[in-house]
Protein backbone atom coordinates (compact mmCIF):
# COMPACT_ATOMS: atom_id res chain seq x y z
CA UNK A 1 0.00 0.00 0.00
CA UNK A 2 1.46 3.42 -0.96
CA UNK A 3 2.52 5.66 1.91
CA UNK A 4 -0.16 8.25 1.14
CA UNK A 5 -2.88 5.59 1.22
CA UNK A 6 -1.52 4.22 4.50
CA UNK A 7 -1.54 7.67 6.07
CA UNK A 8 -5.13 8.20 4.95
CA UNK A 9 -6.19 4.82 6.37
CA UNK A 10 -4.50 5.55 9.71
CA UNK A 11 -6.18 8.96 9.88
CA UNK A 12 -9.59 7.37 9.20
CA UNK A 13 -9.16 4.72 11.92
CA UNK A 14 -7.86 7.35 14.34
CA UNK A 15 -10.92 9.50 13.69
CA UNK A 16 -13.24 6.55 14.31
CA UNK A 17 -11.56 5.80 17.65
CA UNK A 18 -11.93 9.44 18.68
CA UNK A 19 -15.52 9.90 17.54
CA UNK A 20 -17.01 6.60 18.73
CA UNK A 21 -18.50 5.94 22.16
CA UNK A 22 -17.02 2.43 21.98
CA UNK A 23 -14.99 0.21 19.67
CA UNK A 24 -15.22 -3.59 19.83
CA UNK A 25 -12.47 -5.65 18.18
CA UNK A 26 -13.54 -8.98 16.71
CA UNK A 27 -12.30 -11.85 14.58
CA UNK A 28 -14.68 -12.35 11.67
CA UNK A 29 -13.15 -15.37 9.89
CA UNK A 30 -15.85 -17.67 8.51
CA UNK A 31 -18.66 -15.10 8.35
CA UNK A 32 -20.47 -14.56 5.08
CA UNK A 33 -21.20 -11.23 3.41
CA UNK A 34 -24.85 -11.56 4.43
CA UNK A 35 -23.89 -12.19 8.06
CA UNK A 36 -21.56 -9.19 8.13
CA UNK A 37 -24.35 -7.01 6.76
CA UNK A 38 -26.72 -8.31 9.44
CA UNK A 39 -24.21 -7.47 12.16
CA UNK A 40 -23.74 -3.95 10.81
CA UNK A 41 -27.47 -3.31 10.82
CA UNK A 42 -27.83 -4.59 14.38
CA UNK A 43 -25.32 -2.03 15.69
CA UNK A 44 -27.64 0.89 15.01
CA UNK A 45 -27.59 4.04 12.94
CA UNK A 46 -24.23 5.76 12.63
CA UNK A 47 -22.23 2.73 13.76
CA UNK A 48 -19.98 0.77 11.44
CA UNK A 49 -18.25 -2.59 11.21
CA UNK A 50 -14.97 -2.37 9.32
CA UNK A 51 -12.28 -4.88 8.40
CA UNK A 52 -8.93 -3.32 9.30
CA UNK A 53 -5.24 -3.97 8.83
CA UNK A 54 -3.58 -4.71 12.15
CA UNK A 55 -0.37 -2.71 11.64
CA UNK A 56 -2.28 0.41 10.58
CA UNK A 57 -4.80 0.01 13.39
CA UNK A 58 -1.99 -0.32 15.93
CA UNK A 59 -0.51 2.97 14.76
CA UNK A 60 -3.91 4.66 14.96
CA UNK A 61 -4.59 3.20 18.42
CA UNK A 62 -1.17 4.32 19.65
CA UNK A 63 -1.84 7.86 18.45
CA UNK A 64 -4.96 8.14 20.64
CA UNK A 65 -3.44 6.48 23.71
CA UNK A 66 -4.75 2.93 23.28
CA UNK A 67 -1.36 1.22 23.15
CA UNK A 68 -2.71 -1.68 25.23
CA UNK A 69 -4.85 -2.78 22.26
CA UNK A 70 -1.72 -4.18 20.57
CA UNK A 71 -2.15 -7.76 21.91
CA UNK A 72 -5.66 -7.88 20.38
CA UNK A 73 -4.41 -6.92 16.93
CA UNK A 74 -3.50 -10.33 15.57
CA UNK A 75 -5.25 -12.51 13.02
CA UNK A 76 -8.18 -11.29 10.90
CA UNK A 77 -9.58 -8.22 12.66
CA UNK A 78 -12.72 -6.17 12.18
CA UNK A 79 -13.83 -3.38 14.48
CA UNK A 80 -17.35 -2.32 15.41
CA UNK A 81 -17.19 1.45 15.90
CA UNK A 82 -20.23 2.41 17.97
CA UNK A 83 -22.23 5.62 17.76
CA UNK A 84 -24.73 5.59 20.60
CA UNK A 85 -25.21 3.52 23.73
CA UNK A 86 -22.32 1.04 24.20
CA UNK A 87 -24.60 -1.23 26.24
CA UNK A 88 -27.08 -1.66 23.40
CA UNK A 89 -24.24 -2.31 20.95
CA UNK A 90 -22.69 -4.87 23.29
CA UNK A 91 -26.06 -6.64 23.52
CA UNK A 92 -26.31 -6.71 19.71
CA UNK A 93 -22.80 -8.16 19.37
CA UNK A 94 -23.42 -10.73 22.11
CA UNK A 95 -26.67 -11.89 20.53
CA UNK A 96 -25.09 -12.06 17.07
CA UNK A 97 -22.14 -14.07 18.41
CA UNK A 98 -24.53 -16.55 20.05
CA UNK A 99 -26.25 -17.14 16.71
CA UNK A 100 -22.98 -16.99 14.73
CA UNK A 101 -20.10 -18.56 16.72
CA UNK A 102 -17.63 -17.61 13.98
CA UNK A 103 -17.66 -14.09 15.41
CA UNK A 104 -15.09 -13.92 18.22
CA UNK A 105 -14.98 -10.84 20.46
CA UNK A 106 -11.40 -9.91 21.36
CA UNK A 107 -12.01 -6.84 23.53
CA UNK A 108 -12.15 -3.14 22.82
CA UNK A 109 -12.47 0.38 24.16
CA UNK A 110 -15.46 1.69 26.12
CA UNK A 111 -15.60 5.29 27.33
CA UNK A 112 -11.88 5.62 26.71
CA UNK A 113 -10.93 2.53 28.73
CA UNK A 114 -9.54 -0.67 27.23
CA UNK A 115 -11.64 -3.73 28.11
CA UNK A 116 -11.24 -7.45 27.48
CA UNK A 117 -13.76 -9.83 25.93
CA UNK A 118 -15.24 -10.75 29.31
CA UNK A 119 -15.94 -7.10 30.10
CA UNK A 120 -17.71 -6.64 26.77
CA UNK A 121 -19.93 -9.58 27.72
CA UNK A 122 -20.61 -8.12 31.17
CA UNK A 123 -21.48 -4.78 29.56
CA UNK A 124 -24.10 -6.56 27.48
CA UNK A 125 -25.76 -7.77 30.69
CA UNK A 126 -26.11 -4.23 32.10
CA UNK A 127 -29.51 -2.59 31.88
CA UNK A 128 -29.72 0.14 29.26
CA UNK A 129 -28.88 3.74 30.12
CA UNK A 130 -32.53 4.74 29.83
CA UNK A 131 -33.66 2.04 32.26
CA UNK A 132 -30.96 2.97 34.80
CA UNK A 133 -31.79 6.66 34.56
CA UNK A 134 -35.49 5.99 35.00
CA UNK A 135 -34.83 3.94 38.14
CA UNK A 136 -32.46 6.53 39.57
CA UNK A 137 -34.81 9.41 38.81
CA UNK A 138 -37.54 7.55 40.67
CA UNK A 139 -35.19 6.91 43.59
CA UNK A 140 -34.52 10.64 43.87
CA UNK A 141 -38.23 11.15 44.66
CA UNK A 142 -38.72 14.12 42.43
CA UNK A 143 -35.44 15.88 43.17
CA UNK A 144 -35.17 17.38 39.69
CA UNK A 145 -31.77 19.00 40.22
CA UNK A 146 -30.10 15.69 40.99
CA UNK A 147 -32.07 13.88 38.31
CA UNK A 148 -30.91 16.43 35.74
CA UNK A 149 -27.31 15.76 36.74
CA UNK A 150 -27.83 12.04 36.28
CA UNK A 151 -29.18 12.53 32.79
CA UNK A 152 -25.84 14.09 31.82
CA UNK A 153 -23.67 11.45 33.53
CA UNK A 154 -21.55 8.95 31.59
CA UNK A 155 -22.86 5.38 31.64
CA UNK A 156 -20.04 4.18 33.92
CA UNK A 157 -20.96 6.75 36.59
CA UNK A 158 -24.64 5.86 36.36
CA UNK A 159 -23.88 2.17 36.82
CA UNK A 160 -21.67 2.84 39.86
CA UNK A 161 -24.30 5.10 41.42
CA UNK A 162 -26.97 2.48 40.82
CA UNK A 163 -24.90 -0.09 42.70
CA UNK A 164 -24.24 2.37 45.52
CA UNK A 165 -27.94 3.12 45.91
CA UNK A 166 -28.78 -0.59 45.91
CA UNK A 167 -26.21 -1.30 48.62
CA UNK A 168 -27.14 1.65 50.86
CA UNK A 169 -30.95 1.44 50.69
CA UNK A 170 -32.37 -0.29 53.84
CA UNK A 171 -35.29 -2.66 53.33
CA UNK A 172 -38.55 -0.73 53.28
CA UNK A 173 -36.91 2.69 53.61
CA UNK A 174 -36.44 5.45 51.10
CA UNK A 175 -32.83 5.91 49.97
CA UNK A 176 -30.82 8.76 51.37
CA UNK A 177 -30.04 11.55 48.94
CA UNK A 178 -27.03 10.55 46.90
CA UNK A 179 -24.47 12.85 45.46
CA UNK A 180 -25.25 13.25 41.77
CA UNK A 181 -22.35 13.21 39.35
CA UNK A 182 -21.48 16.58 37.94
CA UNK A 183 -23.07 17.31 34.61
CA UNK A 184 -20.88 16.20 31.77
CA UNK A 185 -21.03 16.39 28.04
CA UNK A 186 -22.86 13.64 26.23
CA UNK A 187 -20.90 10.41 26.50
CA UNK A 188 -21.81 9.43 22.98
CA UNK A 189 -20.37 10.92 19.84
CA UNK A 190 -21.46 10.38 16.30
CA UNK A 191 -19.20 7.91 14.58
CA UNK A 192 -18.43 8.30 10.89
CA UNK A 193 -21.25 6.97 8.77
CA UNK A 194 -19.10 5.50 6.04
CA UNK A 195 -18.83 1.82 6.93
CA UNK A 196 -16.87 -0.44 4.63
CA UNK A 197 -18.84 -2.05 1.83
CA UNK A 198 -19.89 -5.67 2.05
CA UNK A 199 -17.46 -6.55 -0.70
CA UNK A 200 -14.60 -4.97 1.26
CA UNK A 201 -15.61 -6.80 4.43
CA UNK A 202 -15.74 -10.11 2.62
CA UNK A 203 -12.49 -9.75 0.71
CA UNK A 204 -10.20 -7.63 2.91
CA UNK A 205 -7.54 -9.70 4.66
CA UNK A 206 -5.41 -9.07 7.70
CA UNK A 207 -1.84 -8.04 7.08
CA UNK A 208 -0.54 -10.48 9.72
Amino acid sequence: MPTQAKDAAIAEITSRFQDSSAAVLTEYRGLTVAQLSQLRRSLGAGSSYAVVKNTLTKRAADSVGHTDLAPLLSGPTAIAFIAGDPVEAAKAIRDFAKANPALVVKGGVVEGRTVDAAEVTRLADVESREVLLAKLAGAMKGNLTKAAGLFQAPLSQVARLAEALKEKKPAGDAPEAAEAPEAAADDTAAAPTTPDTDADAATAASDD
Side-chain angles (χ1 to χ4, degrees), residues 21-191:
S21 58
V24 180
L25 279 67
T26 69
E27 180 175 325
Y28 63 93
R29 183 163 31 201
L31 293 175
T32 67
V33 170
Q35 289 170 325
L36 292 174
S37 297
Q38 179 188 350
L39 175 56
R40 280 198 191 96
R41 289 193 299 269
S42 72
L43 295 175
S47 296
S48 64
Y49 185 72
V51 175
V52 297
K53 286 187 173 294
N54 291 325
T55 54
L56 302 185
T57 302
K58 182 179 183 304
R59 289 174 60 183
D62 288 347
S63 71
V64 291
H66 298 316
T67 56
D68 42 2
L69 286 180
L72 305 181
L73 293 170
S74 62
T77 303
I79 304 179
F81 290 102
I82 308 306
D85 187 353
V87 171
E88 292 304 313
K91 291 180 187 298
I93 293 171
R94 176 201 60 193
D95 294 345
F96 182 88
K98 284 181 179 179
N100 304 274
L103 183 76
V104 178
V105 175
K106 299 181 178 183
V109 178
V110 178
E111 292 186 350
R113 185 174 67 88
T114 300
V115 298
D116 60 18
E119 287 179 283
V120 174
T121 299
R122 286 197 294 272
L123 184 63
D125 293 331
V126 174
E127 290 180 308
S128 70
R129 177 183 175 85
E130 288 73 18
V131 171
L132 285 173
L133 290 173
K135 288 184 176 180
L136 290 172
M140 292 302 174
K141 289 200 160 186
N143 189 325
L144 298 181
T145 300
K146 295 189 178 194
L150 288 171
F151 274 84
Q152 296 296 323
L155 178 64
S156 57
Q157 290 177 286
V158 174
R160 286 195 293 270
L161 183 54
E163 288 301 314
L165 284 173
K166 184 164 57 176
E167 292 172 3
K168 291 181 180 180
K169 181 179 178 181
D173 293 339
E176 296 180 0
E179 287 296 327
E182 291 185 3
D186 283 347
D187 59 330
T188 60

